Amino acid sequence: MPKSHQLPPIKSASLTLMNFVHAYRINILGVIMGIMFGFLMSRAGATTFDFHAKMFLFEDMQLMKVIGTAVVIAMLGVFMLKKFHVSAIATGNEVDFVKKPYQQGLIAGAFLFGVGWAMTAACPGTIPAMVAEGKIGAVFSLIGLLLGTLAYGILQSFIANNGSYKDAFKQ
């Protein structure tokens, strides 16, 4: 009977962990960045209903200042990425900024997004952080977000197939 090549348990576990981290490094980085984003959103008050209500009633502009700061930082970041032709971490390809064409439903979609944000005091970025904080209302917002995304996908497939239900789900 041939002798099996077995490593000591510690060495085997170490190699398995290294292999896992290497194979899923981009996913791990995404989870870490998502946790950091959620923590920062929570600390900034973006997951608190009262901050949203006061912002929309123009009583307290703390959240608007946070959003404005994020927009300015994002603008500077995009400018720097374009200027220095930065490569993506995941693929190594140069980060590309393709301008999307205007779509007819964009204004209505933006209005619907704003109404949903005002009603739930949550945008898609803050909903996971709110769920992680244990806010039960965020679970309903998450369900609505998922159903809305599903409805959008079905509607887009329907439109792409010239209004035919028969071919809308074949892909």
Side-chain angles (χ1 to χ4, degrees), residues 55-122:
M55 179 184 72
F56 286 120
L57 294 171
F58 301 106
E59 293 176 2
D60 183 3
M61 299 310 284
Q62 174 188 336
L63 191 54
M64 189 57 77
K65 291 175 188 172
V66 170
I67 293 169
T69 302
V71 168
V72 169
I73 290 172
M75 287 171 58
L76 290 172
V78 168
F79 172 77
M80 300 295 271
L81 288 172
K82 285 181 176 181
K83 181 175 174 73
F84 295 110
H85 303 285
V86 175
S87 297
I89 295 171
T91 63
N93 297 334
E94 185 177 329
V95 177
D96 189 20
F97 295 91
V98 178
K99 204 168 194 174
K100 293 184 179 181
Y102 176 78
Q103 294 179 356
Q104 190 174 0
L106 197 60
I107 302 296
F111 178 76
L112 187 60
F113 177 85
V115 168
W117 183 12
M119 288 174 58
T120 63

Coordinates of all heavy atoms in Angstrom, one line a residue, residues 55-122:
M55 N -33.0 66.3 8.3 CA -32.4 66.8 7.1 C -33.5 67.2 6.1 O -33.4 68.2 5.5 CB -31.4 65.7 6.5 CG -30.8 66.2 5.2 SD -29.8 64.9 4.4 CE -31.1 63.8 3.8
F56 N -34.4 66.3 5.9 CA -35.5 66.5 5.0 C -36.4 67.7 5.4 O -37.1 68.3 4.6 CB -36.3 65.3 4.7 CG -35.6 64.3 3.8 CD1 -35.3 63.0 4.3 CD2 -35.2 64.7 2.5 CE1 -34.6 62.1 3.5 CE2 -34.5 63.8 1.7 CZ -34.2 62.5 2.2
L57 N -36.5 68.0 6.7 CA -37.3 69.1 7.2 C -36.4 70.3 7.4 O -36.9 71.4 7.9 CB -37.9 68.7 8.6 CG -38.9 67.6 8.6 CD1 -39.3 67.2 10.0 CD2 -40.1 68.0 7.8
F58 N -35.1 70.3 6.9 CA -34.2 71.4 7.0 C -34.0 71.9 8.4 O -33.8 73.1 8.6 CB -34.6 72.5 6.1 CG -34.7 72.1 4.6 CD1 -35.9 71.9 4.0 CD2 -33.6 71.9 3.9 CE1 -36.0 71.5 2.7 CE2 -33.6 71.4 2.6 CZ -34.9 71.3 2.0
E59 N -34.0 71.0 9.4 CA -33.8 71.4 10.8 C -32.4 71.2 11.2 O -31.9 71.9 12.0 CB -34.8 70.6 11.7 CG -36.2 70.9 11.6 CD -37.1 70.1 12.4 OE1 -36.6 69.2 13.2 OE2 -38.3 70.2 12.3
D60 N -31.7 70.1 10.7 CA -30.4 69.8 11.1 C -29.7 69.3 9.8 O -30.1 68.3 9.2 CB -30.3 68.7 12.2 CG -28.9 68.4 12.7 OD1 -28.0 69.1 12.2 OD2 -28.8 67.5 13.5
M61 N -28.6 70.0 9.5 CA -28.0 69.7 8.2 C -26.7 68.8 8.4 O -25.9 68.7 7.5 CB -27.6 71.0 7.4 CG -28.8 71.8 7.1 SD -30.2 70.9 6.3 CE -29.5 70.7 4.7
Q62 N -26.6 68.1 9.5 CA -25.4 67.3 9.8 C -25.2 66.2 8.7 O -24.2 66.0 8.1 CB -25.4 66.6 11.1 CG -24.3 65.6 11.3 CD -24.4 64.8 12.6 OE1 -25.0 65.2 13.5 NE2 -23.8 63.6 12.6
L63 N -26.3 65.5 8.4 CA -26.3 64.5 7.4 C -26.0 65.0 6.0 O -25.3 64.4 5.2 CB -27.6 63.6 7.4 CG -27.6 62.3 6.6 CD1 -26.4 61.4 7.0 CD2 -28.9 61.6 6.8
M64 N -26.5 66.2 5.7 CA -26.3 66.8 4.4 C -24.8 67.2 4.3 O -24.2 67.1 3.2 CB -27.1 68.1 4.2 CG -27.1 68.6 2.8 SD -27.6 67.5 1.5 CE -29.3 67.5 1.7
K65 N -24.2 67.6 5.4 CA -22.8 67.9 5.4 C -21.9 66.6 5.1 O -20.9 66.6 4.4 CB -22.3 68.5 6.7 CG -22.9 69.9 6.9 CD -22.5 70.5 8.3 CE -23.2 71.8 8.5 NZ -23.0 72.2 9.9
V66 N -22.4 65.5 5.7 CA -21.7 64.2 5.5 C -21.8 63.8 4.0 O -20.8 63.4 3.4 CB -22.3 63.1 6.4 CG1 -21.8 61.8 6.0 CG2 -22.0 63.4 7.9
I67 N -23.0 64.0 3.5 CA -23.2 63.6 2.0 C -22.4 64.5 1.2 O -21.7 64.1 0.2 CB -24.7 63.7 1.7 CG1 -25.5 62.6 2.4 CG2 -24.9 63.6 0.2 CD1 -27.0 62.7 2.4
G68 N -22.4 65.8 1.4 CA -21.6 66.8 0.7 C -20.1 66.5 0.7 O -19.4 66.5 -0.3
T69 N -19.6 66.1 1.9 CA -18.2 65.8 2.1 C -17.9 64.5 1.2 O -16.9 64.5 0.6 CB -17.9 65.5 3.5 OG1 -18.2 66.7 4.3 CG2 -16.4 65.2 3.7
A70 N -18.8 63.6 1.3 CA -18.6 62.3 0.5 C -18.5 62.6 -1.0 O -17.7 62.1 -1.7 CB -19.7 61.3 0.8
V71 N -19.4 63.5 -1.5 CA -19.4 63.9 -2.9 C -18.1 64.6 -3.3 O -17.5 64.2 -4.3 CB -20.6 64.8 -3.2 CG1 -20.5 65.4 -4.6 CG2 -21.9 64.0 -3.1
V72 N -17.6 65.5 -2.5 CA -16.4 66.2 -2.8 C -15.2 65.2 -2.8 O -14.4 65.2 -3.7 CB -16.1 67.3 -1.8 CG1 -14.7 67.9 -1.9 CG2 -17.1 68.4 -2.0
I73 N -15.1 64.3 -1.8 CA -14.1 63.3 -1.8 C -14.2 62.4 -3.0 O -13.1 62.0 -3.6 CB -14.1 62.5 -0.4 CG1 -13.7 63.4 0.7 CG2 -13.2 61.3 -0.5 CD1 -13.9 62.8 2.1
A74 N -15.4 62.0 -3.3 CA -15.5 61.1 -4.5 C -15.1 61.8 -5.8 O -14.4 61.2 -6.7 CB -17.0 60.6 -4.6
M75 N -15.4 63.1 -5.9 CA -15.0 63.9 -7.1 C -13.5 63.9 -7.2 O -12.9 63.7 -8.2 CB -15.6 65.3 -7.0 CG -17.1 65.3 -7.3 SD -17.8 66.9 -7.0 CE -16.9 68.0 -8.1
L76 N -12.8 64.2 -6.0 CA -11.4 64.3 -6.0 C -10.8 62.9 -6.3 O -9.8 62.8 -7.1 CB -10.9 64.7 -4.6 CG -11.1 66.2 -4.3 CD1 -10.8 66.5 -2.8 CD2 -10.4 67.1 -5.2
G77 N -11.4 61.8 -5.8 CA -10.9 60.5 -6.1 C -11.0 60.1 -7.5 O -10.1 59.6 -8.1
V78 N -12.1 60.4 -8.2 CA -12.3 60.1 -9.6 C -11.3 61.0 -10.4 O -10.7 60.4 -11.3 CB -13.7 60.4 -10.0 CG1 -13.9 60.4 -11.6 CG2 -14.7 59.4 -9.4
F79 N -11.1 62.2 -10.0 CA -10.1 63.1 -10.7 C -8.7 62.4 -10.7 O -8.0 62.3 -11.7 CB -10.1 64.5 -10.1 CG -9.0 65.3 -10.7 CD1 -9.1 65.9 -11.9 CD2 -7.9 65.6 -9.9 CE1 -8.1 66.7 -12.4 CE2 -6.9 66.4 -10.4 CZ -7.0 66.9 -11.7
M80 N -8.4 62.0 -9.5 CA -7.0 61.4 -9.3 C -6.9 60.1 -10.0 O -5.9 59.8 -10.6 CB -6.7 61.2 -7.8 CG -6.8 62.4 -7.0 SD -5.4 63.5 -7.4 CE -4.2 63.0 -6.3
L81 N -8.0 59.3 -10.0 CA -7.9 58.0 -10.7 C -7.7 58.2 -12.2 O -7.0 57.5 -12.9 CB -9.2 57.2 -10.5 CG -9.4 56.6 -9.1 CD1 -10.8 56.0 -8.9 CD2 -8.3 55.5 -8.9
K82 N -8.4 59.2 -12.8 CA -8.3 59.5 -14.2 C -6.9 60.1 -14.5 O -6.3 59.7 -15.5 CB -9.4 60.5 -14.6 CG -10.7 60.0 -14.8 CD -11.7 61.0 -15.2 CE -13.1 60.5 -15.5 NZ -14.0 61.5 -15.9
K83 N -6.4 61.0 -13.7 CA -5.2 61.7 -13.9 C -4.0 60.7 -13.9 O -3.1 60.8 -14.7 CB -5.0 62.8 -12.9 CG -3.7 63.6 -13.1 CD -3.6 64.7 -12.1 CE -2.3 65.5 -12.2 NZ -2.1 66.3 -13.3
F84 N -4.0 59.8 -12.9 CA -2.8 58.9 -12.8 C -3.0 57.5 -13.4 O -2.2 56.7 -13.2 CB -2.5 58.8 -11.3 CG -2.0 60.1 -10.7 CD1 -2.8 60.8 -9.8 CD2 -0.8 60.7 -11.1 CE1 -2.4 62.0 -9.2 CE2 -0.4 61.9 -10.5 CZ -1.2 62.5 -9.6
H85 N -4.1 57.3 -14.1 CA -4.4 56.1 -14.8 C -4.2 54.8 -13.9 O -3.4 54.0 -14.1 CB -3.6 55.9 -16.0 CG -3.7 57.1 -17.0 ND1 -4.9 57.2 -17.8 CD2 -3.0 58.2 -17.2 CE1 -4.8 58.3 -18.5 NE2 -3.6 58.9 -18.2
V86 N -4.9 54.8 -12.8 CA -4.8 53.8 -11.7 C -5.3 52.5 -12.2 O -6.3 52.4 -13.0 CB -5.5 54.3 -10.4 CG1 -5.5 53.2 -9.4 CG2 -4.8 55.5 -9.9
S87 N -4.7 51.4 -11.8 CA -5.2 50.0 -12.1 C -6.1 49.5 -11.0 O -5.9 49.8 -9.9 CB -4.0 49.1 -12.3 OG -3.2 49.5 -13.4
A88 N -7.1 48.7 -11.4 CA -8.0 48.1 -10.5 C -7.3 47.0 -9.7 O -6.4 46.3 -10.2 CB -9.2 47.5 -11.2
I89 N -7.6 46.9 -8.4 CA -7.0 45.9 -7.5 C -7.3 44.5 -8.0 O -6.5 43.6 -8.0 CB -7.5 46.1 -6.0 CG1 -7.0 47.5 -5.5 CG2 -7.0 45.0 -5.2 CD1 -7.5 47.9 -4.2
A90 N -8.6 44.3 -8.3 CA -9.1 43.0 -8.7 C -8.5 42.4 -10.0 O -8.1 41.3 -10.1 CB -10.6 42.9 -8.7
T91 N -8.5 43.3 -11.0 CA -8.2 42.8 -12.4 C -6.8 43.3 -12.9 O -6.2 42.7 -13.8 CB -9.2 43.3 -13.4 OG1 -9.2 44.7 -13.4 CG2 -10.6 42.8 -13.0
G92 N -6.3 44.4 -12.3 CA -5.1 44.9 -12.8 C -5.3 45.8 -14.0 O -4.3 46.4 -14.5
N93 N -6.5 45.9 -14.6 CA -6.8 46.7 -15.7 C -6.9 48.2 -15.3 O -7.3 48.4 -14.1 CB -8.1 46.3 -16.4 CG -8.0 44.9 -17.0 OD1 -6.9 44.4 -17.3 ND2 -9.1 44.2 -17.0
E94 N -6.6 49.1 -16.2 CA -6.8 50.5 -15.9 C -8.3 50.8 -15.6 O -9.2 50.3 -16.3 CB -6.3 51.3 -17.0 CG -6.3 52.8 -16.7 CD -5.8 53.7 -17.9 OE1 -4.9 53.2 -18.6 OE2 -6.3 54.8 -18.0
V95 N -8.5 51.6 -14.5 CA -9.9 52.0 -14.2 C -10.4 52.9 -15.3 O -9.8 53.8 -15.7 CB -9.9 52.7 -12.8 CG1 -11.3 53.2 -12.5 CG2 -9.4 51.8 -11.7
D96 N -11.6 52.5 -15.8 CA -12.2 53.2 -17.0 C -13.5 53.8 -16.5 O -14.3 53.2 -15.8 CB -12.4 52.2 -18.1 CG -12.8 52.8 -19.4 OD1 -12.6 54.1 -19.6 OD2 -13.4 52.2 -20.3
F97 N -13.7 55.0 -17.0 CA -14.9 55.7 -16.7 C -15.7 56.0 -18.0 O -15.5 56.9 -18.7 CB -14.6 57.1 -16.0 CG -14.0 56.9 -14.7 CD1 -12.6 56.9 -14.5 CD2 -14.7 56.7 -13.5 CE1 -12.0 56.7 -13.3 CE2 -14.2 56.6 -12.3 CZ -12.8 56.5 -12.2
V98 N -16.6 55.1 -18.3 CA -17.4 55.2 -19.5 C -18.7 55.9 -19.2 O -19.4 55.6 -18.2 CB -17.8 53.7 -20.0 CG1 -18.6 53.8 -21.3 CG2 -16.5 52.9 -20.3
K99 N -18.9 57.0 -19.9 CA -20.1 57.8 -19.7 C -21.3 57.0 -20.2 O -21.4 56.6 -21.4 CB -20.0 59.1 -20.5 CG -20.8 60.2 -19.9 CD -20.4 61.5 -20.5 CE -21.0 62.6 -19.7 NZ -20.6 63.9 -20.1
K100 N -22.3 56.9 -19.4 CA -23.5 56.1 -19.7 C -24.5 57.1 -20.5 O -24.6 58.2 -20.1 CB -24.2 55.6 -18.5 CG -23.5 54.5 -17.8 CD -24.3 54.0 -16.6 CE -23.5 52.9 -15.9 NZ -24.3 52.3 -14.8
P101 N -25.2 56.5 -21.5 CA -26.1 57.4 -22.2 C -27.4 57.6 -21.3 O -27.7 56.9 -20.5 CB -26.5 56.5 -23.4 CG -26.2 55.1 -23.0 CD -25.1 55.2 -22.0
Y102 N -28.0 58.8 -21.6 CA -29.2 59.1 -20.9 C -30.3 58.1 -21.3 O -30.5 57.7 -22.4 CB -29.7 60.5 -21.3 CG -31.0 60.9 -20.7 CD1 -31.1 61.3 -19.4 CD2 -32.2 60.8 -21.5 CE1 -32.3 61.7 -18.9 CE2 -33.4 61.2 -20.9 CZ -33.5 61.6 -19.6 OH -34.7 61.9 -19.1
Q103 N -31.1 57.7 -20.3 CA -32.2 56.8 -20.5 C -33.5 57.5 -20.1 O -33.5 58.3 -19.2 CB -32.0 55.5 -19.6 CG -30.9 54.6 -20.0 CD -30.8 53.4 -19.1 OE1 -31.5 53.2 -18.2 NE2 -29.8 52.6 -19.5
Q104 N -34.5 57.1 -20.8 CA -35.8 57.8 -20.7 C -36.4 57.8 -19.3 O -36.9 58.8 -18.8 CB -36.8 57.3 -21.7 CG -38.1 58.1 -21.7 CD -39.0 57.6 -22.8 OE1 -38.7 56.6 -23.5 NE2 -40.1 58.2 -23.0
G105 N -36.2 56.7 -18.6 CA -36.8 56.5 -17.2 C -36.0 57.1 -16.1 O -36.3 56.9 -14.9
L106 N -34.9 57.7 -16.4 CA -33.9 58.2 -15.4 C -34.5 59.2 -14.4 O -34.4 59.0 -13.2 CB -32.7 58.8 -16.1 CG -31.5 58.9 -15.2 CD1 -31.0 57.6 -14.7 CD2 -30.4 59.6 -16.0
I107 N -35.3 60.1 -14.9 CA -35.9 61.1 -14.0 C -36.9 60.5 -13.1 O -36.9 60.7 -11.9 CB -36.5 62.3 -14.8 CG1 -35.5 62.9 -15.7 CG2 -37.2 63.3 -13.9 CD1 -34.3 63.6 -15.0
A108 N -37.8 59.6 -13.7 CA -38.8 59.0 -12.9 C -38.1 58.0 -11.8 O -38.6 58.0 -10.7 CB -39.7 58.2 -13.8
G109 N -37.1 57.4 -12.2 CA -36.4 56.5 -11.3 C -35.7 57.2 -10.2 O -35.7 56.8 -9.0
A110 N -35.1 58.4 -10.5 CA -34.5 59.2 -9.5 C -35.6 59.8 -8.5 O -35.3 59.8 -7.3 CB -33.7 60.4 -10.1
F111 N -36.7 60.1 -9.0 CA -37.8 60.6 -8.2 C -38.3 59.5 -7.3 O -38.5 59.7 -6.1 CB -39.0 61.1 -9.0 CG -40.2 61.6 -8.3 CD1 -40.1 62.8 -7.6 CD2 -41.3 60.8 -8.2 CE1 -41.2 63.2 -6.9 CE2 -42.4 61.2 -7.4 CZ -42.4 62.4 -6.8
L112 N -38.4 58.3 -7.8 CA -38.9 57.1 -7.0 C -37.9 56.8 -5.9 O -38.2 56.5 -4.8 CB -39.1 55.9 -7.9 CG -39.7 54.7 -7.3 CD1 -41.1 55.0 -6.8 CD2 -39.9 53.6 -8.4
F113 N -36.6 56.9 -6.3 CA -35.5 56.6 -5.3 C -35.6 57.6 -4.2 O -35.5 57.3 -3.0 CB -34.1 56.7 -6.0 CG -33.0 56.6 -5.1 CD1 -32.5 55.3 -4.8 CD2 -32.3 57.7 -4.6 CE1 -31.4 55.2 -3.9 CE2 -31.3 57.5 -3.7 CZ -30.8 56.3 -3.4
G114 N -35.8 58.9 -4.5 CA -35.9 59.9 -3.5 C -37.1 59.8 -2.6 O -37.0 60.0 -1.4
V115 N -38.2 59.4 -3.2 CA -39.4 59.1 -2.4 C -39.2 58.0 -1.4 O -39.5 58.0 -0.2 CB -40.6 58.9 -3.3 CG1 -41.8 58.4 -2.5 CG2 -41.0 60.2 -4.0
G116 N -38.6 56.9 -1.9 CA -38.3 55.7 -1.1 C -37.3 56.1 0.0 O -37.5 55.6 1.2
W117 N -36.3 56.9 -0.3 CA -35.3 57.3 0.7 C -36.0 58.1 1.8 O -35.8 57.9 3.0 CB -34.2 58.1 0.0 CG -33.1 58.6 0.9 CD1 -32.8 58.2 2.2 CD2 -32.1 59.5 0.6 NE1 -31.7 58.8 2.7 CE2 -31.3 59.6 1.7 CE3 -31.8 60.2 -0.6 CZ2 -30.2 60.5 1.7 CZ3 -30.7 61.1 -0.5 CH2 -29.9 61.2 0.6
A118 N -36.9 59.1 1.4 CA -37.6 59.9 2.4 C -38.5 59.1 3.2 O -38.7 59.4 4.4 CB -38.3 61.0 1.6
M119 N -39.2 58.1 2.6 CA -40.2 57.3 3.4 C -39.5 56.4 4.4 O -40.0 56.1 5.5 CB -41.0 56.5 2.4 CG -42.0 57.4 1.7 SD -43.0 56.4 0.5 CE -43.7 55.1 1.4
T120 N -38.4 55.8 4.0 CA -37.7 54.8 4.8 C -36.5 55.3 5.6 O -36.0 54.6 6.5 CB -37.2 53.6 4.0 OG1 -36.2 54.1 3.1 CG2 -38.3 52.9 3.2
A121 N -36.1 56.5 5.3 CA -34.9 57.1 5.9 C -33.7 56.1 5.7 O -32.8 56.0 6.5 CB -35.0 57.4 7.4
A122 N -33.6 55.5 4.5 CA -32.5 54.6 4.2 C -32.3 54.6 2.7 O -33.3 54.6 1.9 CB -32.9 53.2 4.6

